[in-house]
Amino acid sequence: MILRTLLALMLAVQPVVAADLPDLGEVSRQYFSDQEEQLLGRMILRDVYADPRYLDDPGIEQYLDQIGYRLVSVSSRNQQRFNFFVVSDPTINAFAMPGGLIGVHTGLLLAAQSESELAGVIAHEIAHVTQDHIARMVAAQSQSQWPTLAALGLALLAARSNANVASAAIATTQAYSIQNQLNYGRDYEREADRLGFETLTRAGFDPRGMESFFGRMQRANRFYDTSAPAYLRTHPLTTERIADMSARSESAPYQQITDSLEFQLVRARLRAMDDSPQEAVRAAQAALKEGRYSSAAAARYELVTALARARRFQEAEAELQALLAGQAASPMIAQLAGDTALAADQPALALQRYEAGRRAYPEYGPLILGTLRAQLLGGQPADALVLVERQLLLRPGDRRLWHLAAEAHARLGHRLLSHRAQAEAAALSGNLVAAIEQITLGIKAADGGFHELSAAEARRREWQQAETLQRERRQ
Ligand SMILES: [Zn+2]
């Protein structure tokens, strides 16, 4: 719900002429304090995760993270934390939000004809973040030069308070007034294009990716001014922008960049998850038979995924073996091998496959999550606990690991530690109220030692303070 409001916020209805822009080269962080931006980011993230259209797929998210951070690392704000996520939506769109949040629609992942095209759009969005465009738009419109978090917070809250008609009416009015102002103007678009192009080039993608994607969109939509796809309404595309992109592309040295296998696998996975399972199987079988694919391995990967979804495990296993016998190697294929066994309710085989995958790709997070699931499903919660605790030392910010830690503790009868892990997962998802509830349940369970109990109490105080601050800022 809130995601839709946010998307609406990002949609351009009328282009705004951004007046009095400071010199675009140097951007001071005067619009939000870092703390405010983090707070806002956390509020938005909670709504993202709660939205049914959020695609909770660690493998695809990991791929997007890889592309995203490859770009971020050569951008002007390479120290900032970004959060890339996928939204199940067939429209071609991507959007940036405060706190370094960047959402990508599945429609965009499927429409991109090369990895560099996808990276071009993400690089453009990253530039909107590094240049503080959203905060500046709010600043340009409000009376004071210092927009408060409350102004945006209210807009964000509008959808959430639907049940409460009285306050919703007030919030909605404010949300609309902000909505009409939030669209990227020409200056912002030009800047995001220019910086995005630089980032794209520096990160080693084909710099022509940007022009080929935007150019194709423009040609496809020449005759549909009023029903332009969401992306074009959010980021108004002008002849001038296209001309600038062409000029930049022409001056770029020619280089042939090969797409990663993962780019094809991610798209194969999305296609296999689309439609009814039987329809997805039919489509994948036809594509494989008729040779309509850019990668044979990806075509087979799609078929295995679709067959497992249709619970046709024997056929899935046969196609998987054909895939594994081929030349293609990727952590996503190792993951698929484990996932197929797990879906067929064979946790021992799944565990064996995930562990083999981890020997080849020790850093690949989804294989660790798979191992933990197989251990829990196979009745080995003590092993799962050892592994998850070791992993949490390396990645304490991984909410999926905390969920699995909670499950391992629960199976072992550790009530305090299970609730504590649930609470950490909730806090990382931006939901402090749920975090406080969970940790309170844990403290009441009173089955921990003195140290565990006092640690939990300290953690609860910390969250209570942060939650109070959040509430104050919203008023
Ligand atoms: Zn834009």
Side-chain angles (χ1 to χ4, degrees), residues 124-125 128 133 184-185 188-190 192-193 214 231 234-236 241:
H124 176 101
E125 295 304 322
H128 279 314
H133 285 166
Y184 294 120
Y188 293 142
E189 286 309 312
R190 204 183 297 135
D193 284 344
F214 286 112
Y231 195 81
T234 325
H235 308 258
R241 278 186 68 196

Side-chain angles (χ1 to χ4, degrees), residues 1-13 44 48 51 53 85 87-97 102-105 125 155-156 159 179 182-184 230-231 233-235:
M1 195 59 209
I2 190 74
L3 198 54
R4 212 164 306 139
T5 309
L6 278 167
L7 288 175
L9 280 173
M10 303 295 139
L11 289 181
V13 183
I44 300 171
V48 168
D51 192 294
R53 294 181 313 148
F85 58 92
V87 179
S88 265
D89 189 315
T91 60
I92 299 171
N93 206 0
F95 51 94
M97 292 185 290
I102 291 182
V104 173
H105 283 195
E125 295 304 322
L156 303 176
Q179 176 183 332
L182 274 189
N183 31 61
Y184 294 120
Y231 195 81
R233 277 178 280 138
T234 325
H235 308 258

Side-chain angles (χ1 to χ4, degrees), residues 368-416:
I368 292 158
L369 297 175
T371 307
L372 290 166
R373 282 199 198 95
Q375 284 170 329
L376 289 168
L377 203 70
Q380 304 170 35
D383 291 348
L385 190 60
V386 171
L387 176 61
V388 79
E389 291 199 319
R390 214 178 328 127
Q391 288 298 320
L392 278 169
L393 292 176
L394 303 171
R395 292 183 291 153
D398 188 329
R399 70 186 198 291
R400 293 186 178 104
L401 281 178
W402 281 111
H403 274 301
L404 291 162
E407 202 178 326
H409 279 302
R411 302 247 175 130
L412 292 164
H414 309 156
R415 292 165 64 201
L416 167 60

Side-chain angles (χ1 to χ4, degrees), residues 4-305:
R4 212 164 306 139
T5 309
L6 278 167
L7 288 175
L9 280 173
M10 303 295 139
L11 289 181
V13 183
Q14 305 227 307
V16 149
V17 181
D20 297 327
L21 278 180
D23 176 20
L24 293 182
E26 189 72 23
V27 178
S28 64
R29 313 294 321 281
Q30 57 178 310
Y31 304 104
F32 291 125
S33 72
D34 284 349
Q35 193 196 22
E36 277 178 326
E37 185 157 356
Q38 269 174 23
L39 204 65
L40 185 57
R42 214 184 303 157
M43 282 162 62
I44 300 171
L45 206 54
R46 172 183 56 188
D47 295 316
V48 168
Y49 290 147
D51 192 294
R53 294 181 313 148
Y54 164 70
L55 186 72
D56 191 3
D57 185 311
I60 296 178
E61 207 166 274
Q62 172 101 6
Y63 169 75
L64 206 58
D65 247 22
Q66 250 168 39
I67 298 282
Y69 273 103
R70 187 168 148 191
L71 294 161
V72 166
S73 66
V74 295
S75 79
S76 64
R77 228 190 267 173
N78 56 8
Q79 296 301 314
Q80 184 180 338
R81 233 184 90 189
F82 277 74
N83 204 312
F84 300 92
F85 58 92
V86 185
V87 179
S88 265
D89 189 315
T91 60
I92 299 171
N93 206 0
F95 51 94
M97 292 185 290
L101 307 185
I102 291 182
V104 173
H105 283 195
T106 48
L108 172 63
L109 284 162
L110 289 168
Q113 287 184 2
S114 74
E115 197 161 39
S116 293
E117 284 193 1
L118 172 66
V121 177
I122 298 175
H124 176 101
E125 295 304 322
I126 288 173
H128 279 314
V129 173
T130 61
Q131 301 311 105
D132 274 332
H133 285 166
I134 298 166
R136 283 183 185 188
M137 278 189 286
V138 177
Q141 295 297 325
S142 57
Q143 292 298 326
S144 89
Q145 275 298 95
W146 300 86
T148 56
L149 186 61
L152 261 178
L154 262 180
L156 303 176
L157 281 171
R160 215 183 298 146
S161 19
N162 268 352
N164 186 339
V165 180
S167 71
I170 301 164
T172 308
T173 312
Q174 305 225 14
Y176 274 118
S177 75
I178 293 174
Q179 176 183 332
N180 286 330
Q181 296 152 9
L182 274 189
N183 31 61
Y184 294 120
R186 282 180 185 199
D187 291 336
Y188 293 142
E189 286 309 312
R190 204 183 297 135
E191 187 178 54
D193 284 344
R194 181 174 56 77
L195 292 175
F197 181 86
E198 281 173 24
T199 307
L200 192 65
T201 312
R202 243 180 276 144
F205 290 103
D206 180 0
R208 288 172 185 76
M210 214 163 187
E211 190 219 346
S212 68
F213 184 79
F214 286 112
R216 196 145 39 78
M217 275 189 97
Q218 191 202 34
R219 283 190 296 280
N221 294 287
R222 192 169 287 166
F223 306 110
Y224 307 99
D225 270 353
T226 49
S227 59
Y231 195 81
L232 295 189
R233 277 178 280 138
T234 325
H235 308 258
L237 193 60
T238 59
T239 322
E240 183 201 346
R241 278 186 68 196
I242 295 287
D244 283 351
M245 285 188 222
S246 306
R248 270 192 288 263
S249 286
E250 273 163 31
S251 64
Y254 181 79
Q255 51 191 95
Q256 180 79 39
I257 311 270
T258 317
D259 292 337
S260 71
L261 174 59
E262 283 71 28
F263 173 68
Q264 301 298 350
L265 294 178
V266 160
R267 289 147 54 84
R269 185 164 177 79
L270 290 174
R271 282 192 297 266
M273 306 295 260
D274 202 32
D275 238 328
S276 73
Q278 297 303 342
E279 202 42 59
V281 170
R282 263 194 294 277
Q285 278 170 335
L288 196 61
K289 196 170 153 214
E290 293 154 24
R292 282 186 286 107
Y293 47 72
S294 35
S295 149
R300 188 146 266 134
Y301 179 99
E302 180 178 335
L303 181 56
V304 176
T305 309

